[in-house]
Amino acid sequence: MTTPIRFELIKTCRQTGARLGILHTPHGSFETPMFMPVGTLATVKTLSPEELKEMGAGVILSNTYHLWLRPGHDIVAEAGGLHAFMNWDRGILTDSGGFQVFSLSEFRRIEEEGVYFRNHLNGDKLFLSPEKATEIQNALGADIIMAFDECPPYPATYDYMKRSVERTSRWAERCLKAHRRSNEQGLFGIVQGGEYEDLRRQSARDLVSLDFPGYAVGGLSVGEPKDVMNRVLEFTTPLLPADKPRYLMGVGSPDSLIDGAIRGIDMFDCVLPTRIGRNGTVMTSEGRVVIKNAQYARDFTPLDPNCDCYTCRNYTRAYIRHLIKCDETFGIRLTSYHNVYFLIKLMEQVRQAIREDRLADFREEFFERYGFNKPNAKNF
C-alpha cells in the first residue's frame, strides 16, 4: 500500500536499542525520537507558529473532537485544511477524538456502531463512529490521522479490556475502509490492551495485519504507575513493525520521554509543557521549579542557567514570578515557551546520545541532575 507517511531507520543505539530515524511526511521530514507539542484547538496555547519553528518543532497535534465542535471541520476544510487555517507548513497529526469522548463526557453509551455521548460544552447529544471520526479527519487534512478507538480506564478488568480490544480492532478496519485520502494522509492504528500482555499481543496482531503506515501505543499515561507503563512498552513495541513509526500517545514528562525512547518509541505528544506552564511550573536542567513560590521573588537569574531559549535569554525568575502572580498572559507565554523548548531540546539530546551509543549513560546523568533518582521524586 502506498502511503504519504514513511519511516526511515538511521541507527540503533548499541547501549539501549533506541532508534534514531526520520519521519517523512507531506509537509517535511523530521528526526525521531521527537516530541510533538499539542495544539488542541489548532493552536499551541499562547505560542505562535513562528515561535514553534524557532525552537525546532516538526509535528504538532490538533484535536478532532474539539475542532469538530468548534469551529467545525467544514469550516477548516473551506479554509484549505488545518495547515492553511493555522498557518503551519510542517507536520500535523490529529487524534481521533476517542480519548475526549471517554474522558470529557459524563454520559456516554458505547455500541458496536459507535459512541453516543453529550457535548461537554452545551449538553447536546452527539454520535461519533469510526466512519465519522475518519470523515472529520479527512476534512481537517492533517498529515497523520488516527483510527477511532476505545481508551479504557485504568485499571480495567481483563474481561472488559478483552471486549474493548476486539471492538477497537473492528473499528480500526472500518476506519481504513472509510479513509478517503490515503494518498495524502497516513492513518495510524492504535494498540490497546491495558497492562495485559496477551491482549496487547492480540491487539498488535490484529492491527499489524491491516498494514497501517504507523502504529500508536494507546491506553498508557492514564493513571498507571511508571513501572507499569515501561513494562507494557517492553513487551508491546517489539510486536510492531521495525520499518514503521511507533507513537506513544499522551506522554511528555522528561523521564517518560527518555524511557520511552529506550523502549523503541519514535513519537511522543503531551499537553504537559503548556499546562504546567500556565500553573507557574517549569522544567529545567536542574529539576522542576514552581516559579510562584516566594523564594523566587528576588531571584534575578534565568529560569534555567543552562537554557538558551528566548525566555531564559531575556527574563528573570523574579519577573516571571511577578507576571504569573498577577495573572499576566505574558508570564504564561514565557513559561510555556520555555517548557516546550525544553522538551524539544531534550529530544535533540536523546537523538545525539543514540548517535553516540550512550543513551543509558545520558539517562543516568539526566535523572541525577533533574532529581528523578531521589526518593519521592516528582514526575516533572
Side-chain angles (χ1 to χ4, degrees), residues 9-200:
L9 180 61
I10 302 298
K11 178 179 171 50
T12 301
C13 176
R14 288 199 293 268
Q15 198 176 51
T16 63
R19 292 147 50 103
L20 180 70
I22 300 175
L23 178 72
H24 299 283
T25 81
H27 288 85
S29 297
F30 311 102
E31 285 194 335
T32 63
M34 61 156 57
F35 175 76
M36 304 180 291
V38 176
T40 300
L41 286 158
T43 177
V44 177
K45 289 190 186 301
T46 77
L47 302 179
S48 71
E50 291 75 19
E51 288 169 323
L52 291 165
K53 278 188 182 180
E54 279 173 12
M55 59 179 81
V59 179
I60 60 176
L61 262 74
S62 287
N63 184 266
T64 296
Y65 169 81
H66 289 287
L67 293 173
W68 176 37
L69 300 186
R70 297 181 298 184
H73 58 294
D74 54 336
I75 290 177
V76 175
E78 196 176 325
L82 270 177
H83 290 90
F85 191 53
M86 64 189 292
N87 189 33
W88 178 254
D89 61 3
R90 296 186 181 179
I92 298 178
L93 183 154
T94 47
D95 60 13
S96 69
F99 179 79
Q100 285 69 34
V101 168
F102 294 105
S103 64
L104 292 179
S105 180
E106 293 179 9
F107 162 83
R108 61 180 177 272
R109 190 174 83 250
I110 306 169
E111 303 286 354
E112 185 62 28
E113 64 264 29
V115 186
Y116 296 87
F117 62 102
R118 290 193 182 275
N119 183 331
H120 76 287
L121 298 172
N122 59 20
D124 285 353
K125 291 181 179 178
L126 296 171
F127 172 69
L128 196 57
S129 66
E131 291 79 10
K132 185 64 178 177
T134 306
E135 174 198 332
I136 295 166
Q137 292 184 89
N138 283 166
L140 294 174
D143 302 272
I144 298 171
I145 66 176
M146 303 304 298
F148 187 62
D149 65 327
E150 180 186 355
C151 184
Y154 177 87
T157 66
Y158 181 89
D159 288 343
Y160 181 93
M161 189 64 75
K162 182 172 174 55
R163 291 193 301 272
S164 175
V165 162
E166 290 168 351
R167 183 187 298 115
T168 287
S169 294
R170 293 191 296 271
W171 283 1
E173 195 163 358
R174 286 166 57 187
C175 288
L176 271 176
K177 290 177 181 174
H179 188 20
R180 298 285 177 257
R181 300 181 63 183
S182 57
N183 291 330
E184 304 163 63
Q185 298 174 295
L187 173 65
F188 282 22
I190 304 175
V191 176
Q192 292 287 357
E195 61 186 307
Y196 305 105
E197 183 171 358
D198 62 324
L199 296 183
R200 287 282 179 181

Side-chain angles (χ1 to χ4, degrees), residues 3 46 54 126 129 222 228 270 277 279 298 332 335 345 359 377:
T3 172
T46 77
E54 279 173 12
L126 296 171
S129 66
V222 291
V228 171
C270 196
N279 295 324
R298 289 181 168 80
I332 298 171
T335 54
K345 297 304 172 185
L359 185 54

